[in-house]
Amino acid sequence: MLTQLINGNILTPQGWIKDGSVLISNGKILEVTNSDLAVIGAKVIDVKGMNIVPGFVGMHIHGGGGSDYTEATPEAFETATKAHLLHGATSVFPTLTSTTFENIAKAAKVCEELMKTDKVIRGLHIEGPYLNPKMAGSQWGEYLSIPNKDEYAALLDSTSCVKRWDISPEIEGGYEFGKYVSSRGILTAITHTEAEYEDIKKAFASGFTHAAHFYNAMPGFHKRREYKYEGTVESVYLTDGMSVEVIADGRHLPATILKLVYKLKGVEQTCLVTDALKYAAFDGEVDDPRYVIENDVCKLADHSSLAGSLATMDKLVWTMVKKAGIPLEDAVRMASETPAKIIGIDDCKGTLQRGKDADIVILDKDVNVRCVFSYGEIVEGTNTLIH
């Protein structure tokens, strides 16, 4: 089956193509052209002047649709993934919060099995349990520990699905962890940390190349007694080659900070992430006494900190464009091309190019999702092109 998308503004690595077309065959992009003349034998879909952009890459998502990936069941994985797919996340890396290693291993088995049939799931992302207790936030202390090489090496020997692992680098054994995990080709990131410049230098040299939820659960410029010190934030800014991600839900960071990250780190080193909890894309009630939802964000019940977002990937792009004033093409790239490159799936994801998977999102002029294509097929429940 040959499908042709016409009458849209197409975002390509070279820029926008106006009134071009995208040809899709067997789940792949056959061609992106500057002509929208109908191809004989193709099923033609008129996108009515809207924007044709790459599918989003969700590289930090804890759950959605009422399910949490840490439940470690096929049902939870499928429910959460589908919830985010409906909002344009055509590639998802299920993210585990701090939990027991037994549960991590169980989740890895579920993930590995589902990856055989669910092509949206691209690999597992583990956050913790090797975290600085002072900065753990909503990562519950009962599971926290220091890195144990026998433990994490055995896990990685047992599965090939782990694609990213985040810890606090400054804790005992942290730098050794970074060297080992990064040597396995796994994206290794700093998170929930109070590392200062010398710590970040050591971390980067040890294989930590990415900063999770930048600005959140890490200190910035601060004072101890009469002297002032750089925080993790400034140290990451000063580390060329260390990429970052921001929770651009309009709640975790103000628009001014989103603009600053965009200006200083740039499109190619900045990813947009949801850090979404199970309550994202969910209309039900909060069933966990640890959390409350107020002002479109999830907080710890004692209001000591934010616990995670309720955002989906389309909300992040909308926030960057409408609140932070970032050009649409750059906001989309930070939600697709950049995370695809950073986590290592840019050979088949992240841009609209010949030979890549036909993962496509149609956005209207108000940056709302009007249709989602996964491997060239319209995702059920997303097509509102005719309304």
Side-chain angles (χ1 to χ4, degrees), residues 130 147 152 165 167 173-182 188 208:
Y130 307 136
Y152 60 75
W165 203 331
I167 75 162
Y175 301 125
E176 182 184 8
F177 171 94
K179 290 176 182 176
Y180 181 82
V181 173
S182 62
T188 311
F208 291 90

Side-chain angles (χ1 to χ4, degrees), residues 55-58 61 81 84-92 120 313 361 372:
F56 307 136
V57 176
I61 298 175
T81 300
H84 287 277
L85 175 61
L86 291 171
H87 292 270
T90 53
S91 298
V92 171
V120 176
M313 291 297 295
V361 174
V372 179

Side-chain angles (χ1 to χ4, degrees), residues 5 43-48 50 85-86 362 369-373 377-387:
L5 307 183
K43 174 187 176 182
V44 176
I45 298 176
D46 185 347
V47 305
K48 299 178 170 56
M50 298 183 198
L85 175 61
L86 291 171
I362 309 300
V369 171
R370 300 297 293 274
C371 193
V372 179
F373 293 80
E377 299 292 330
I378 293 177
V379 175
E380 184 178 355
T382 68
N383 187 2
T384 59
L385 289 172
I386 62 174
H387 300 296

